[in-house]
Amino acid sequence: MRLRASPWELTQISEEADLSLLHGDLSGLNRPILKIDSRKEAAISGQPVISVGYATGISAILARAGEDTVNDIVKVSGGDPATIAAELLRRKLIRPLVTQGHIGDVLDDKIVYDAQTTSGGSGGPLINRDGKVIGVTFAVVKGFGGSNFGVPIRYAEPLLKIQ
């Protein structure tokens, strides 16, 4: 099923954390809804974690494609950014980056973890060993490995209930 292009609208901004909620039409997607676990005990220091996010910009997305594919896309698109993006979408090359690591520390307002997070990964889910969303990625400290930050999912719950 194809997704219709639809505008995305910023519908909520949290007053407590670095979170906001975008709303758009995803009715064309047939994907399961991830379960959340907002209990403080859901994030445990030393436990495994999975981070999901998207790379920022066309260059970062093209970096994941093979050289022949990139050359073909540039040839077909004539270098036009909108056409490159459409071609990447058509070839199903816009995919999330999924990395794994461990929770280093759990603070009241953030989860510190070491799963690699790319620039642009903010807003992606942070998933615990039980397969439940425990946080939302919000920051990467560049040049200092092991310091990525997620906002505990309990801060997002009030935004989700409004919808």
Side-chain angles (χ1 to χ4, degrees):
M1 181 177 271
R2 294 189 74 200
L3 282 175
R4 292 188 327 242
S6 68
W8 288 84
E9 178 183 356
L10 177 65
T11 58
Q12 292 290 321
I13 298 174
S14 174
E15 294 180 16
E16 296 182 64
D18 187 9
L19 290 170
S20 61
L21 184 67
L22 292 174
H23 189 266
D25 181 12
L26 297 176
S27 61
L29 287 178
N30 185 17
R31 301 284 190 261
I33 296 173
L34 297 173
K35 295 188 183 308
I36 65 172
D37 190 342
S38 58
R39 298 173 306 122
K40 288 185 178 186
E41 301 81 27
I44 302 168
S45 183
Q47 292 295 317
V49 70
I50 294 173
S51 174
V52 181
Y54 286 87
T56 299
I58 290 174
S59 296
I61 296 169
L62 284 171
R64 296 178 66 198
E67 186 177 346
D68 291 341
T69 301
V70 171
N71 290 336
D72 189 46
I73 289 172
V74 170
K75 180 180 173 185
V76 168
S77 69
D80 174 60
T83 308
I84 290 172
E87 190 63 20
L88 287 166
L89 180 62
R90 186 185 73 75
R91 295 176 187 224
K92 298 182 179 175
L93 293 173
I94 301 175
R95 302 179 307 267
L97 297 169
V98 179
T99 59
Q100 59 185 357
H102 291 87
I103 297 172
D105 201 0
V106 180
L107 308 171
D108 188 50
D109 63 341
K110 62 182 70 74
I111 301 168
V112 183
Y113 62 97
D114 66 359
Q116 273 188 307
T117 305
T118 184
S119 179
S122 294
L126 195 57
I127 302 169
N128 71 4
R129 68 180 179 177
D130 298 324
K132 295 182 180 175
V133 177
I134 58 168
V136 179
T137 298
F138 80 93
V140 177
V141 178
K142 294 184 180 200
F144 188 71
S147 292
N148 300 311
F149 301 99
V151 174
I153 197 66
R154 68 180 170 277
Y155 288 98
E157 283 183 311
L159 302 178
L160 298 171
K161 289 179 182 172
I162 293 172
Q163 295 304 308

